[in-house]
Amino acid sequence: EVSTDDPETAFCTLANREELNSEEDSIHHCLYQFTRNETLTETNKLLCDVCTQRNCGPKNNIKSEKKYVYTNAKKQMLVSLAPPILTLHLKRFQQAGFNLQKVNRHIKFPEVIDLAPFCTAKCKNVAEGNTKVLYSLYGVVEHSGTMRSGHYTAYVKMRAMNNHLSDLVLRGQSQALETEPVKGQWFHISDTHVQPVSVSKVLSSQAYLLFYERLL
């Protein structure tokens, strides 16, 4: 979707991202890096249709003359529509020479996360004046092993049905006012083995996939 915004507000977010205390090995740091403001210069310049037309005349002459004009630009990826279910997929591999190597270090993630610092100021389904977009953790997928082989297990929270979330999914209406984690019991699931675990056990896992549900 291409839109023309005021340059002063085009890169604004719902909440001040500069006040984030983003530890390096944390999901907040990952989101901050993914949504950071980038400057595109040199070989990364963008083709500017307006500049090209201004220099080359009518659009139908551009291809024949091939006088494309590229310009410096700023790029930032932000959330424009806060989803009912937030799924975060962590990149658990890195290039090591000619091989791929699994990344095993622990990435910290909270039980409740605020997505507002990573949402555009004009986020479509956030009420005007809201500066928080809260999500509660309800599922984690963990992978043990190497890039060639391993085993997937899951942590899942069993909790009462979230009627507010149902309204958001089915009708796009958000009436939820809770700001605390959804109450429930966590379970660790490995094939046919299921056992209850504490939330501290869940938060210490080596997350590969994180699943959050919208609170506010």
Side-chain angles (χ1 to χ4, degrees):
E1 180 180 337
V2 179
S3 61
T4 302
D5 290 325
D6 183 344
E8 295 298 321
T9 60
F11 299 99
C12 291
T13 52
L14 278 176
N16 190 345
R17 56 194 282 115
E18 302 307 323
E19 294 180 357
L20 283 173
N21 183 18
S22 301
E23 297 179 65
E24 187 165 338
D25 291 333
S26 70
I27 199 69
H28 287 100
H29 182 73
C30 294
L31 287 168
Y32 185 89
Q33 289 294 100
F34 186 74
T35 59
R36 73 185 187 278
N37 194 319
E38 300 177 62
T39 301
L40 306 178
T41 59
E42 299 179 354
T43 57
N44 291 320
K45 287 182 178 181
L46 290 185
L47 172 63
C48 179
D49 289 336
V50 175
C51 301
T52 301
Q53 290 181 39
R54 185 183 300 132
N55 284 271
C56 303
K59 199 170 186 178
N60 56 1
N61 294 330
I62 294 176
K63 288 186 178 180
S64 60
E65 296 182 16
K66 293 185 178 179
K67 294 181 180 178
Y68 299 111
V69 177
Y70 293 82
T71 184
N72 293 338
K74 286 185 178 181
K75 170 189 171 184
Q76 186 173 27
M77 298 179 68
L78 295 171
V79 178
S80 63
L81 184 70
I85 300 297
L86 174 66
T87 304
L88 300 176
H89 182 186
L90 300 180
K91 182 181 176 182
R92 282 280 179 191
F93 65 90
Q94 62 185 5
Q95 193 77 32
F98 293 102
N99 300 314
L100 291 177
Q101 185 178 55
K102 186 184 175 187
V103 177
N104 286 311
R105 70 175 179 269
H106 175 66
I107 301 298
K108 295 179 183 178
F109 55 93
E111 199 174 356
V112 172
I113 189 169
D114 185 4
L115 203 64
F118 316 108
C119 292
T120 174
K122 296 180 180 179
C123 200
K124 296 172 185 175
N125 58 346
V126 176
E128 188 175 351
N130 276 12
T131 57
K132 289 185 179 294
V133 183
L134 301 181
Y135 288 83
S136 177
L137 183 72
Y138 75 90
V140 180
V141 172
E142 185 178 44
H143 178 267
S144 58
T146 66
M147 290 293 297
R148 293 182 178 274
S149 65
H151 181 58
Y152 289 97
T153 60
Y155 293 91
V156 179
K157 181 190 282 188
M158 187 178 74
R159 73 270 193 249
M161 181 177 177
N162 187 336
N163 292 322
H164 296 307
L165 185 64
S166 299
D167 289 338
L168 188 59
V169 172
L170 298 175
R171 290 180 286 276
Q173 299 172 349
S174 176
Q175 298 176 352
L177 297 175
E178 297 295 328
T179 58
E180 297 297 323
V182 176
K183 293 181 180 179
Q185 173 63 56
W186 281 97
F187 289 90
H188 183 227
I189 303 170
S190 178
D191 293 334
T192 59
H193 300 283
V194 179
Q195 61 178 358
V197 293
S198 64
V199 66
S200 60
K201 173 70 174 175
V202 176
L203 297 179
S204 65
S205 64
Q206 300 241 20
Y208 178 56
L209 289 168
L210 294 168
F211 299 90
Y212 287 88
E213 59 183 335
R214 181 101 174 255
L215 288 176
L216 179 65

